[in-house]
Amino acid sequence: MSFKKEFVWGAATASYQIEGAWNEDGKGMNIWDEFTHQPGKISDKSTGDIACDHYHHYKEDVKMMADLGLKAYRFSISWARVIPEGTGKVNPEGIKFYNNLIDELLKYNITPFVTLYHWDLPYALHLKGGWLNPESAEWFKEYTTVIAENFGDRVKNFITFNEPMVFMGCGYMLGEHAPGIKYGDRDLLRIGHNILMAHGKAVSVLREKSENCKIGITLATQPKIPVTKNDVEDAYNNYFYSGLGGFFWGVQYWMDPIMFGDYAPNLLKEAGDLFPEYTKEDMAIISQKIDFLGLNIYEAQYQGDYKRPRGTAHSELLWDTYPDALYWGVTHNYKRYKLPIYITENGISCHDWVSLDGKVHDPNRIDFLHRYLRGLKKAADEGVDVSGYFQWSLMDNFEWAKGYNPRFGMIFCDYTTLERIPKDSAYWYKTVIESNGENL
């Protein structure tokens, strides 16, 4: 069997990771611009100043998407490119760039999926306290209004936040990502509530200003894979438990307030007076209806009696592979939240290079994707509402604190010449799209 007829096949990117043009045409500075210019923050001492230079190569990149048969493209908008100071004056050149990109996509019948926030907070707002400032939800509402008014006539699929658990955990707890802060639980709980309020206010704006749009949020997750049938219930229960220690890493912390209108009782009890005060009105804003859930899945965890074998398959980043990760990720989340699910990121970093024949051969990536997609197809066959799949990533790019060494792309990017070369996996993915997954 193939996936449902309207299944969406695409690829994903993020603004800071590919755009470059970090200080061109009126763009403001964001926290990653500042962070990468500090010594010792990025493993290869690089920045996203140029990245893939998508800002100047977007037409070439969209043509490649069309040639590879992509039906949709998930990209994020740089907040500081459209509103340099985060609030106030709008940058017409930033609006022009995204208008041109959207129009180019539509010219090739590629559906745009817009992520409002993929980690690049305007630096001017960071100086005002960033997500710790209770006004941050209003800042995000103002930004979303600009996006909806300028692009909502053509963009009908929106994601409010990408992986809030990761930009919060790595950026505000571990200090490994921008802005490089190490907060404790009291402040982290405030940040989480402000982000959820921002999400809710963005939903309200999009409903008002982009007619018939679909709205979701994207979460990073490591699903619990039961080792035996006897472990299925424990896998589900443990997967959806968010305790005070690392509460923000879990899906439950973010989705339960959105779907059920309040935080998990066990977390409220454990946090006690660390938890910020909130009102019924707050929860009404947060729990507005959304249309889908986006899941970014790379790794997983086993539930039950499991010992990692020596020599387990792993990626260039030393991430283990889990062929059942997509199956259990969508199965667990659909059971709990009953929302259509998009896999908004899934992929693998491999040791890719241009071979003597001028091509990029990546059989490991093809095998990885084939195995993961089989699991996704199995879940769809069993009745899970799987609406689409976005491979991470369209092209090799700036991989945050790891710099340019990890290569996740289906398109190879030579960072010196900026030449793009589709890898073998890109052509394989084209055949998957053409058969709507029937050839898996």
Side-chain angles (χ1 to χ4, degrees), residues 214-249:
K214 302 291 186 182
I215 308 169
I217 187 170
T218 279
L219 303 178
T221 183
Q222 294 188 10
K224 291 280 189 177
I225 299 175
V227 175
T228 70
K229 291 182 179 179
N230 294 331
D231 299 313
V232 172
E233 185 176 354
D234 285 344
Y236 176 87
N237 291 332
N238 289 337
Y239 177 63
F240 287 110
Y241 177 83
S242 294
L244 186 58
F247 62 91
F248 47 85
W249 296 115

Side-chain angles (χ1 to χ4, degrees), residues 67-84:
D67 290 343
L68 294 173
L70 296 189
K71 305 300 182 184
Y73 175 48
R74 177 187 170 227
F75 64 96
S76 73
I77 290 176
S78 169
W79 188 342
R81 194 177 295 284
V82 296
I83 310 178

Side-chain angles (χ1 to χ4, degrees), residues 155-228:
V155 176
K156 297 301 176 183
N157 299 277
F158 290 96
I159 294 165
T160 56
F161 285 93
N162 178 78
E163 300 183 349
M165 56 268 288
V166 178
F167 76 76
M168 186 167 154
C170 292
Y172 294 92
M173 189 273 285
L174 296 174
E176 296 173 355
H177 285 182
I181 295 172
K182 296 182 179 181
Y183 285 137
D185 282 338
R186 186 185 300 275
D187 288 337
L188 291 171
L189 286 162
R190 289 184 177 276
I191 287 174
H193 185 69
N194 291 340
I195 292 169
L196 283 165
M197 287 289 290
H199 159 83
K201 291 186 177 187
V203 171
S204 179
V205 168
L206 292 169
R207 293 278 183 235
E208 177 188 348
K209 296 183 177 293
S210 181
E211 188 176 356
N212 297 322
C213 70
K214 302 291 186 182
I215 308 169
I217 187 170
T218 279
L219 303 178
T221 183
Q222 294 188 10
K224 291 280 189 177
I225 299 175
V227 175
T228 70

Side-chain angles (χ1 to χ4, degrees), residues 208-417:
E208 177 188 348
K209 296 183 177 293
S210 181
E211 188 176 356
N212 297 322
C213 70
K214 302 291 186 182
I215 308 169
I217 187 170
T218 279
L219 303 178
T221 183
Q222 294 188 10
K224 291 280 189 177
I225 299 175
V227 175
T228 70
K229 291 182 179 179
N230 294 331
D231 299 313
V232 172
E233 185 176 354
D234 285 344
Y236 176 87
N237 291 332
N238 289 337
Y239 177 63
F240 287 110
Y241 177 83
S242 294
L244 186 58
F247 62 91
F248 47 85
W249 296 115
V251 168
Q252 181 196 41
Y253 173 74
W254 303 99
M255 283 301 292
D256 275 23
I258 292 172
M259 296 302 296
F260 306 141
D262 207 352
Y263 293 98
N266 68 280
L267 177 60
L268 293 171
K269 183 177 179 180
E270 290 179 35
D273 63 4
L274 292 178
F275 215 98
E277 292 185 3
Y278 63 93
T279 65
K280 289 183 178 180
E281 289 74 20
D282 288 349
M283 299 316 299
I285 292 170
I286 291 169
S287 62
Q288 293 175 88
K289 178 183 179 295
I290 60 174
D291 303 293
F292 64 87
L293 170 61
L295 296 176
N296 293 352
I297 299 176
Y298 298 89
E299 294 186 280
Q301 299 173 352
Y302 286 106
Q303 180 70 40
D305 187 11
Y306 175 81
K307 183 178 181 181
R308 181 184 184 275
R310 281 183 276 182
T312 295
H314 58 266
S315 72
E316 177 270 338
L317 280 171
L318 302 182
W319 296 358
D320 284 357
T321 62
Y322 300 84
D324 292 330
L326 295 190
Y327 173 81
W328 285 106
V330 299
T331 298
H332 288 327
N333 280 282
Y334 189 66
K335 177 181 177 181
R336 187 175 186 86
Y337 299 119
K338 302 296 190 296
L339 281 174
I341 296 173
Y342 288 91
I343 297 299
T344 40
E345 288 183 26
N346 171 243
I348 184 173
S349 171
C350 296
H351 291 285
D352 299 328
W353 61 82
V354 181
S355 296
L356 289 173
D357 61 5
K359 300 177 181 179
V360 181
H361 305 295
D362 57 342
N364 287 9
R365 180 172 289 106
I366 293 173
D367 189 74
F368 172 95
L369 295 171
H370 199 158
R371 292 170 187 265
Y372 273 59
L373 281 169
R374 277 185 174 179
L376 187 65
K377 187 177 178 180
K378 178 184 175 185
D381 288 344
E382 292 178 1
V384 176
D385 189 351
V386 184
S387 294
Y389 174 88
F390 291 82
Q391 189 182 149
W392 184 270
S393 174
L394 173 68
M395 67 182 78
D396 298 333
N397 54 52
F398 177 82
E399 195 54 45
W400 308 113
K402 299 295 184 182
Y404 292 100
N405 288 325
R407 290 184 177 270
F408 278 90
M410 69 171 75
I411 297 172
F412 182 91
C413 183
D414 184 317
Y415 298 117
T416 301
T417 65

Side-chain angles (χ1 to χ4, degrees), residues 63-122:
K63 177 64 165 56
M64 278 194 164
M65 295 180 213
D67 290 343
L68 294 173
L70 296 189
K71 305 300 182 184
Y73 175 48
R74 177 187 170 227
F75 64 96
S76 73
I77 290 176
S78 169
W79 188 342
R81 194 177 295 284
V82 296
I83 310 178
E85 297 298 311
T87 61
K89 186 178 179 181
V90 175
N91 176 26
E93 289 300 314
I95 298 296
K96 178 182 176 181
F97 169 70
Y98 291 111
N99 267 327
N100 289 342
L101 173 59
I102 291 164
D103 289 344
E104 195 74 11
L105 290 166
L106 295 176
K107 183 175 83 172
Y108 290 101
N109 295 315
I110 298 171
T111 302
F113 278 66
V114 165
T115 302
L116 296 177
Y117 187 82
H118 201 131
W119 306 4
D120 48 356
L121 184 75

